[in-house]
PDB file of all heavy atoms in Angstrom:
ATOM      1  N   ILE A  78     -89.966  -4.530 -42.861  1.00 89.00           N
ATOM      2  CA  ILE A  78     -89.379  -5.771 -43.445  1.00 89.00           C
ATOM      3  C   ILE A  78     -88.650  -5.337 -44.769  1.00 89.00           C
ATOM      4  O   ILE A  78     -88.832  -4.302 -45.346  1.00 89.00           O
ATOM      5  CB  ILE A  78     -90.381  -6.782 -43.728  1.00 89.00           C
ATOM      6  CG1 ILE A  78     -91.417  -6.365 -44.814  1.00 89.00           C
ATOM      7  CG2 ILE A  78     -90.975  -7.265 -42.442  1.00 89.00           C
ATOM      8  CD1 ILE A  78     -92.320  -7.409 -45.167  1.00 89.00           C
ATOM      9  N   ASP A  79     -87.695  -6.250 -45.139  1.00 90.00           N
ATOM     10  CA  ASP A  79     -86.963  -5.828 -46.449  1.00 90.00           C
ATOM     11  C   ASP A  79     -87.932  -5.685 -47.578  1.00 90.00           C
ATOM     12  O   ASP A  79     -88.839  -6.442 -47.727  1.00 90.00           O
ATOM     13  CB  ASP A  79     -85.914  -6.977 -46.670  1.00 90.00           C
ATOM     14  CG  ASP A  79     -84.737  -6.922 -45.785  1.00 90.00           C
ATOM     15  OD1 ASP A  79     -84.774  -6.161 -44.830  1.00 90.00           O
ATOM     16  OD2 ASP A  79     -83.863  -7.787 -45.922  1.00 90.00           O
ATOM     17  N   GLY A  80     -87.507  -4.744 -48.510  1.00 92.00           N
ATOM     18  CA  GLY A  80     -88.323  -4.489 -49.697  1.00 92.00           C
ATOM     19  C   GLY A  80     -88.364  -3.040 -49.865  1.00 92.00           C
ATOM     20  O   GLY A  80     -87.893  -2.133 -49.300  1.00 92.00           O
ATOM     21  N   ASN A  81     -89.114  -2.701 -51.005  1.00 93.00           N
ATOM     22  CA  ASN A  81     -89.393  -1.245 -51.312  1.00 93.00           C
ATOM     23  C   ASN A  81     -90.438  -0.641 -50.434  1.00 93.00           C
ATOM     24  O   ASN A  81     -91.509  -1.299 -50.250  1.00 93.00           O
ATOM     25  CB  ASN A  81     -89.758  -1.066 -52.776  1.00 93.00           C
ATOM     26  CG  ASN A  81     -88.677  -1.620 -53.596  1.00 93.00           C
ATOM     27  OD1 ASN A  81     -87.565  -1.606 -53.357  1.00 93.00           O
ATOM     28  ND2 ASN A  81     -89.080  -1.926 -54.967  1.00 93.00           N
ATOM     29  N   VAL A  82     -90.243   0.571 -49.919  1.00 94.00           N
ATOM     30  CA  VAL A  82     -91.303   1.180 -49.084  1.00 94.00           C
ATOM     31  C   VAL A  82     -91.478   2.629 -49.475  1.00 94.00           C
ATOM     32  O   VAL A  82     -90.672   3.220 -50.173  1.00 94.00           O
ATOM     33  CB  VAL A  82     -90.783   1.117 -47.589  1.00 94.00           C
ATOM     34  CG1 VAL A  82     -90.679  -0.262 -47.092  1.00 94.00           C
ATOM     35  CG2 VAL A  82     -89.494   1.887 -47.296  1.00 94.00           C
ATOM     36  N   LEU A  83     -92.666   3.188 -48.958  1.00 95.00           N
ATOM     37  CA  LEU A  83     -92.956   4.568 -48.992  1.00 95.00           C
ATOM     38  C   LEU A  83     -92.546   5.131 -47.554  1.00 95.00           C
ATOM     39  O   LEU A  83     -92.610   4.281 -46.620  1.00 95.00           O
ATOM     40  CB  LEU A  83     -94.374   4.804 -49.259  1.00 95.00           C
ATOM     41  CG  LEU A  83     -94.924   4.358 -50.587  1.00 95.00           C
ATOM     42  CD1 LEU A  83     -96.396   4.585 -50.830  1.00 95.00           C
ATOM     43  CD2 LEU A  83     -94.189   4.896 -51.762  1.00 95.00           C
ATOM     44  N   MET A  84     -92.282   6.371 -47.441  1.00 93.00           N
ATOM     45  CA  MET A  84     -91.856   6.795 -46.191  1.00 93.00           C
ATOM     46  C   MET A  84     -92.447   8.197 -45.798  1.00 93.00           C
ATOM     47  O   MET A  84     -92.614   9.037 -46.627  1.00 93.00           O
ATOM     48  CB  MET A  84     -90.292   6.959 -46.166  1.00 93.00           C
ATOM     49  CG  MET A  84     -89.643   7.322 -44.998  1.00 93.00           C
ATOM     50  SD  MET A  84     -87.771   6.903 -44.981  1.00 93.00           S
ATOM     51  CE  MET A  84     -87.304   7.856 -46.367  1.00 93.00           C
ATOM     52  N   GLY A  85     -92.730   8.319 -44.452  1.00 92.00           N
ATOM     53  CA  GLY A  85     -93.322   9.575 -43.944  1.00 92.00           C
ATOM     54  C   GLY A  85     -92.668   9.924 -42.702  1.00 92.00           C
ATOM     55  O   GLY A  85     -91.832   9.039 -42.211  1.00 92.00           O
ATOM     56  N   ARG A  86     -93.057  11.061 -42.084  1.00 88.00           N
ATOM     57  CA  ARG A  86     -92.593  11.404 -40.733  1.00 88.00           C
ATOM     58  C   ARG A  86     -93.607  12.055 -39.995  1.00 88.00           C
ATOM     59  O   ARG A  86     -94.195  12.952 -40.339  1.00 88.00           O
ATOM     60  CB  ARG A  86     -91.374  12.328 -40.935  1.00 88.00           C
ATOM     61  CG  ARG A  86     -90.740  12.788 -39.492  1.00 88.00           C
ATOM     62  CD  ARG A  86     -89.763  13.972 -39.704  1.00 88.00           C
ATOM     63  NE  ARG A  86     -88.677  13.624 -40.502  1.00 88.00           N
ATOM     64  CZ  ARG A  86     -87.437  13.116 -40.081  1.00 88.00           C
ATOM     65  NH1 ARG A  86     -87.322  12.817 -38.838  1.00 88.00           N
ATOM     66  NH2 ARG A  86     -86.487  12.894 -40.945  1.00 88.00           N
ATOM     67  N   VAL A  87     -93.870  11.418 -38.795  1.00 90.00           N
ATOM     68  CA  VAL A  87     -94.790  11.956 -37.844  1.00 90.00           C
ATOM     69  C   VAL A  87     -94.153  12.490 -36.639  1.00 90.00           C
ATOM     70  O   VAL A  87     -93.610  11.650 -35.894  1.00 90.00           O
ATOM     71  CB  VAL A  87     -95.848  10.873 -37.475  1.00 90.00           C
ATOM     72  CG1 VAL A  87     -96.982  11.496 -36.555  1.00 90.00           C
ATOM     73  CG2 VAL A  87     -96.705  10.317 -38.631  1.00 90.00           C
ATOM     74  N   GLY A  88     -94.089  13.748 -36.448  1.00 82.00           N
ATOM     75  CA  GLY A  88     -93.208  14.309 -35.452  1.00 82.00           C
ATOM     76  C   GLY A  88     -91.790  13.939 -35.769  1.00 82.00           C
ATOM     77  O   GLY A  88     -91.325  14.180 -36.824  1.00 82.00           O
ATOM     78  N   GLY A  89     -91.040  13.274 -34.795  1.00 75.00           N
ATOM     79  CA  GLY A  89     -89.679  12.927 -35.062  1.00 75.00           C
ATOM     80  C   GLY A  89     -89.527  11.428 -35.608  1.00 75.00           C
ATOM     81  O   GLY A  89     -88.415  10.926 -35.671  1.00 75.00           O
ATOM     82  N   GLN A  90     -90.649  10.786 -35.727  1.00 85.00           N
ATOM     83  CA  GLN A  90     -90.629   9.321 -36.110  1.00 85.00           C
ATOM     84  C   GLN A  90     -90.784   9.179 -37.623  1.00 85.00           C
ATOM     85  O   GLN A  90     -91.741   9.528 -38.229  1.00 85.00           O
ATOM     86  CB  GLN A  90     -91.774   8.597 -35.345  1.00 85.00           C
ATOM     87  CG  GLN A  90     -91.862   7.112 -35.691  1.00 85.00           C
ATOM     88  CD  GLN A  90     -90.717   6.354 -35.168  1.00 85.00           C
ATOM     89  OE1 GLN A  90     -90.460   6.221 -34.012  1.00 85.00           O
ATOM     90  NE2 GLN A  90     -89.858   5.780 -36.077  1.00 85.00           N
ATOM     91  N   LEU A  91     -89.754   8.447 -38.162  1.00 88.00           N
ATOM     92  CA  LEU A  91     -89.875   8.024 -39.573  1.00 88.00           C
ATOM     93  C   LEU A  91     -90.874   6.790 -39.629  1.00 88.00           C
ATOM     94  O   LEU A  91     -90.759   5.882 -38.811  1.00 88.00           O
ATOM     95  CB  LEU A  91     -88.529   7.661 -40.170  1.00 88.00           C
ATOM     96  CG  LEU A  91     -87.655   8.739 -40.499  1.00 88.00           C
ATOM     97  CD1 LEU A  91     -86.181   8.162 -40.888  1.00 88.00           C
ATOM     98  CD2 LEU A  91     -88.155   9.499 -41.650  1.00 88.00           C
ATOM     99  N   VAL A  92     -91.752   6.822 -40.567  1.00 94.00           N
ATOM    100  CA  VAL A  92     -92.808   5.796 -40.622  1.00 94.00           C
ATOM    101  C   VAL A  92     -92.854   5.270 -42.041  1.00 94.00           C
ATOM    102  O   VAL A  92     -92.604   6.150 -43.021  1.00 94.00           O
ATOM    103  CB  VAL A  92     -94.182   6.426 -40.351  1.00 94.00           C
ATOM    104  CG1 VAL A  92     -95.277   5.367 -40.508  1.00 94.00           C
ATOM    105  CG2 VAL A  92     -94.121   6.986 -38.946  1.00 94.00           C
TER     106      VAL A  92
END
Side-chain angles (χ1 to χ4, degrees):
I78 61 174
D79 286 4
N81 297 336
V82 298
L83 301 176
M84 188 163 57
R86 185 191 294 270
V87 183
Q90 177 66 65
L91 282 174
V92 179

